[in-house]
Amino acid sequence: MIVRSPVPTSKGRRTRAALLQAGREAFEEHGYDAVRIDDVCRRARVSHGTFYTYFDSKEALFGEVAEAVVGEMFAASVVGAAAPDDPYARIEAANRLYLRAWAANSRLVRMLEQAATADGRFGRLLLELREVFVRRGADGLRRLQEQGLADPSLDPRLTAVMLGGMVEHFAHVWLDLGEELGEESGEEAAVDHLTRLWARAIGLTPTSIPATEEGA
């Protein structure tokens, strides 16, 4: 878990926010390895010494930037109360929102994954940040099982890990690497297929799947 130093004043909070923003911009533009603390300080318009008032290393700054990015992705992919109550429609909405959140933030997420291969601290951080998505998926599946709408034999957490990994990997291959999906290579086709796969994997009952999807 990231441990932050207390920031008691509004000026301190502004300075800290400026450093986080400067760090995020520098990491996105140049990659983790190429960024130096001096680069961040110059962007934030603070002294080198001021940096260490708020962060003890570049690694600590990057960890908080990554945490903020994943937090933004989580918030951006939340299916709100305004979405339909139908489970299939909510899975579809969640997949759509996640793909859009990935498109906006994937560079830093992939950067964290690369850093994790060389530093166990980032590996633990990556798992910790992904856990918020896993927990949400597991809770959703558990509710469907309790309602008799999903396969009761599935382990909710393990299923969420696996299906979440499917969506994340697809997002990377399609949006980052440029995988072609054929003639229907747009968002609608991607969301449609992801949702069908997810629904069938959890055994979502036919009564909760649109008639056009049954037998497709």
Side-chain angles (χ1 to χ4, degrees):
M1 178 68 67
I2 297 170
V3 178
R4 300 176 179 79
S5 299
V7 182
T9 67
S10 58
K11 180 180 179 181
R13 288 191 292 272
R14 289 195 300 271
T15 301
R16 199 173 197 283
L19 284 166
L20 283 168
Q21 182 61 33
R24 178 170 182 166
E25 292 172 358
F27 291 132
E28 287 180 334
E29 288 182 23
H30 304 296
Y32 175 76
D33 290 335
V35 172
R36 300 177 302 168
I37 290 176
D38 285 340
D39 300 327
V40 177
C41 292
R42 187 162 47 251
R43 285 174 180 262
R45 298 182 179 179
V46 301
S47 68
H48 199 273
T50 298
F51 176 91
Y52 287 102
T53 301
Y54 302 97
F55 304 98
D56 59 15
S57 64
K58 181 178 81 170
E59 291 79 6
L61 173 65
F62 180 67
E64 288 205 33
V65 168
E67 184 179 29
V69 167
V70 173
E72 290 173 13
M73 289 181 65
F74 183 82
S77 59
V78 169
V79 178
D85 289 333
D86 175 70
Y88 188 92
R90 293 185 70 82
I91 293 172
E92 182 178 55
N95 284 331
R96 187 185 310 280
L97 292 172
Y98 184 85
L99 289 179
R100 292 176 179 177
W102 180 274
N105 297 285
S106 68
R107 180 167 171 76
L108 276 168
V109 177
R110 304 310 293 190
M111 205 177 296
L112 176 58
E113 290 180 338
Q114 291 171 4
T117 62
D119 190 325
R121 292 174 299 175
F122 288 131
R124 290 188 293 274
L125 174 61
L126 183 60
L127 288 176
E128 180 181 317
L129 296 179
R130 278 185 169 148
E131 182 63 24
V132 298
F133 289 97
V134 171
R135 192 179 305 119
R136 183 171 69 186
D139 289 345
L141 175 54
R142 197 172 288 111
R143 285 193 297 271
L144 291 176
Q145 289 172 323
E146 292 170 353
Q147 295 167 18
L149 299 176
D151 184 348
S153 69
L154 292 175
D155 179 275
R157 188 178 188 284
L158 186 57
T159 303
V161 170
M162 292 180 173
L163 292 179
M166 172 190 74
V167 178
E168 180 182 344
H169 184 67
F170 169 75
H172 170 57
V173 171
W174 179 45
L175 296 171
D176 298 339
L177 302 183
E179 172 70 25
E180 293 292 339
L181 304 185
E183 293 181 2
E184 296 183 357
S185 57
E187 180 184 275
E188 289 303 320
V191 171
D192 172 61
H193 279 70
L194 283 174
T195 305
R196 283 199 248 174
L197 289 170
W198 189 295
R200 282 165 171 72
I202 65 173
L204 197 61
T205 59
T207 55
S208 62
I209 298 177
T212 56
E213 300 298 337
E214 295 183 37

